[in-house]
Amino acid sequence: MSPQKFRELRDKAEKQIAAQQHGLENLDRDDLVKVTHELAVHQIELEIQNEELHQSRVAAEQARDRYIDLFDFAPVGYFSLDERGHIVEVNLTGCKKLKMERSNLLKMNFVKFIKPGDTDAFYLYRKKVMESTTRQTRELTMRISDGATFNAQLEGIKTSENTIRLAIIDITELKKASKLKDEFIGMVSHEIKTPLTVIIGALSTVTAEGVTLPEARQLLEDAVAHADILANIVDNLLELSRSQSDRLVLQKEPTDVKWIATSVVNKLRQKSTLHQLVLDIPPGLPLVDIDPLRVERVLSNLVDNAIKYSPDGGEVKIAARKEKENLVVSVSDHGLGISKNDQSRLFQKFQRLDVLVKSSIQGIGLGLNVCRILVEAHGGQIWVESNKGQGSTFSFTIPLGE
Ligand code: ADP
């Protein structure tokens, strides 16, 4: 309390006591003892009340600070706008989102932060919030002081006759993820539909009248080959999903890599008559402690790519060698090759290079990502050496352990 306020209060109290003092001079000693006792009790009561008041004031201040903290550091930008749409209150998140100091933001017209093409939509939305008693939602593009834009979800509610409060949520990432999901679903559906159409076509033709035995055999081989493509897509998707939900568990056992490479070559040999699949694995390599099915998947993805991305055919070589504490396995082709610029992003999911390749060679851009996930799960590394137009060599390591 300020000294002046204290003086005023004191004067008031003195005046009231003076007004009530009639007859005090007539009190006898006992009465005086009683009055003094009453006064002492009152004084203690007042002190207790004072202490309680002080405590509730501290609690109120703490609650206010907590509210300000919650308001300022909420993950959402909050803005209060007056009847002209000017900012009268904004939290710290809102300032950060618009990259401006609070003192500069206050009194600014909020519409300045709406992308020009969306301003009419914003005015309509603000009118709707002013006229409604319930929360109104709208998605708009906002533009910040440095010219950058972001997708925002606005949640608005009328807070008084003239003011509204807006919560601004940045949904740019959400939109990107949703677009990616739509593209992914479209791409996977397309990649699944193509082999399915072949399988259905082959199986319905095989039963038609007049199909010779060699023709029937060819049709069934086509159906099996395309069923393999389907199985491969689904297997890669399952590996990705397991890894993303931390459910990738390796079933390790001592394994001869040559055995895996031979199995992959035997399975993929019939895929192309243009390519020669060659093994270059010296005898006497140590057994490695690996999940054989997972390493087979890695090799199978790499050899499958080597065939797909060397459309003119040629040799595809699977080699293995011991190098320090690792076994290094590599797959080389003489195909399209990959420019240095593109090499770094190949192992990320859903990355496919070159529009021409995308339109003419099937794939969903997952094989190399799954290879990296499985190799790294074994404690190894995977990389590519390539030049555009000069073929590629993909290599990965498997630690030999003690
Ligand atoms: P997909 O083959 O389904 O597209 P991958 O993840 O296996 O997916 O490969 C990603 C991209 O890397 C391919 O789309 C292709 O552009 C490129 N690529 C992979 N392997 C080779 C290769 N051996 N030669 C040239 N380009 C390759």
Side-chain angles (χ1 to χ4, degrees), residues 263-279:
S263 155
V264 170
V265 166
N266 289 340
K267 280 184 194 154
L268 294 183
R269 186 163 275 144
Q270 71 253 30
K271 249 195 144 172
S272 160
T273 47
L274 282 178
H275 297 83
Q276 299 83 48
L277 303 195
V278 177
L279 280 187

Side-chain angles (χ1 to χ4, degrees), residues 301-302 305-310 333 335-338 346-348 350-354 357-358 361-370 386 391-392 394:
N301 279 347
L302 294 180
N305 277 351
I307 295 173
K308 273 199 304 186
Y309 299 106
S310 45
D333 64 62
L336 302 174
I338 303 150
L346 281 185
F347 297 96
Q348 292 163 23
F350 309 129
Q351 293 292 330
R352 304 205 72 212
L353 308 177
D354 207 65
V357 170
K358 276 190 202 169
I361 304 177
Q362 286 196 340
I364 55 170
L366 205 54
L368 288 180
N369 182 248
V370 166
S386 179
S392 317
F394 284 84

Side-chain angles (χ1 to χ4, degrees), residues 28-314:
D28 63 21
R29 195 176 166 279
D30 282 353
D31 289 338
L32 273 175
V33 169
K34 260 193 208 157
V35 168
T36 315
H37 174 78
E38 284 293 307
L39 271 175
V41 170
H42 271 309
Q43 186 180 347
I44 290 168
E45 275 177 1
L46 271 174
E47 278 167 7
I48 292 171
Q49 272 179 5
N50 203 18
E51 180 55 26
E52 281 172 358
L53 258 175
H54 174 71
Q55 279 171 7
S56 18
R57 212 175 102 185
V58 169
E61 278 171 4
Q62 282 172 348
R64 190 201 57 197
D65 289 349
R66 242 191 344 262
Y67 164 76
I68 290 175
D69 271 359
L70 281 175
F71 177 68
D72 265 345
F73 298 107
V76 173
Y78 284 116
F79 296 83
S80 292
L81 310 187
D82 65 14
E83 71 279 13
R84 291 166 307 158
H86 289 192
I87 301 168
V88 287
E89 194 182 20
V90 53
N91 70 346
L92 219 60
T93 313
C95 302
K96 279 196 189 140
K97 203 63 237 158
L98 301 187
K99 293 194 177 158
M100 278 184 77
E101 294 288 325
R102 196 180 331 235
S103 53
N104 295 334
L105 269 177
L106 293 175
K107 299 210 176 85
M108 272 185 86
N109 196 329
F110 187 80
V111 79
K112 284 208 165 77
F113 298 100
I114 301 291
K115 200 177 153 207
D118 276 0
T119 47
D120 284 351
F122 173 71
Y123 285 129
L124 275 176
Y125 167 71
R126 191 161 68 90
K127 189 163 173 280
K128 206 167 155 196
V129 176
M130 289 299 290
E131 287 168 0
S132 168
T133 48
T134 55
R135 184 182 290 257
Q136 301 293 320
T137 306
R138 181 84 169 82
E139 282 182 22
L140 288 172
T141 307
M142 293 193 61
R143 191 187 54 179
I144 50 180
S145 50
D146 61 8
T149 57
F150 67 93
N151 297 107
Q153 181 175 309
L154 276 57
E155 301 267 347
I157 190 147
K158 186 171 165 181
T159 41
S160 75
E161 205 42 54
N162 300 321
T163 55
I164 62 169
R165 171 161 304 146
L166 291 181
I168 310 288
I169 305 157
D170 186 344
I171 52 166
T172 313
E173 290 307 315
L174 208 72
K175 286 224 139 197
K176 269 193 208 153
S178 155
K179 188 164 164 263
L180 209 69
K181 191 192 77 197
D182 292 346
E183 283 173 5
F184 169 71
I185 291 174
M187 182 174 64
V188 172
S189 314
H190 177 259
E191 291 300 315
I192 286 178
K193 181 118 184 65
T194 315
L196 256 185
T197 311
V198 176
I199 296 170
I200 294 169
L203 292 183
S204 41
T205 317
V206 94
T207 52
E209 255 181 58
V211 175
T212 63
L213 208 61
E215 282 170 343
R217 176 184 286 272
Q218 185 57 52
L219 285 166
L220 289 178
E221 276 175 8
D222 281 354
V224 170
H226 283 83
D228 273 346
I229 295 177
L230 270 187
N232 198 41
I233 294 174
V234 174
D235 283 341
N236 277 337
L237 284 169
L238 282 174
E239 293 291 17
L240 176 72
S241 136
R242 280 191 203 106
S243 131
Q244 287 188 333
S245 53
D246 287 330
R247 284 185 295 111
L248 180 63
V249 183
L250 299 179
Q251 310 286 336
K252 286 189 181 178
E253 56 186 80
T255 311
D256 185 349
V257 166
K258 188 166 189 167
W259 175 83
I260 295 180
T262 310
S263 155
V264 170
V265 166
N266 289 340
K267 280 184 194 154
L268 294 183
R269 186 163 275 144
Q270 71 253 30
K271 249 195 144 172
S272 160
T273 47
L274 282 178
H275 297 83
Q276 299 83 48
L277 303 195
V278 177
L279 280 187
D280 176 14
I281 303 180
L285 282 181
L287 296 185
V288 274
D289 197 25
I290 52 171
D291 181 333
L293 288 178
R294 261 50 186 268
V295 173
E296 181 169 347
R297 166 147 308 286
V298 174
L299 258 187
S300 178
N301 279 347
L302 294 180
V303 176
D304 194 39
N305 277 351
I307 295 173
K308 273 199 304 186
Y309 299 106
S310 45
D312 296 335

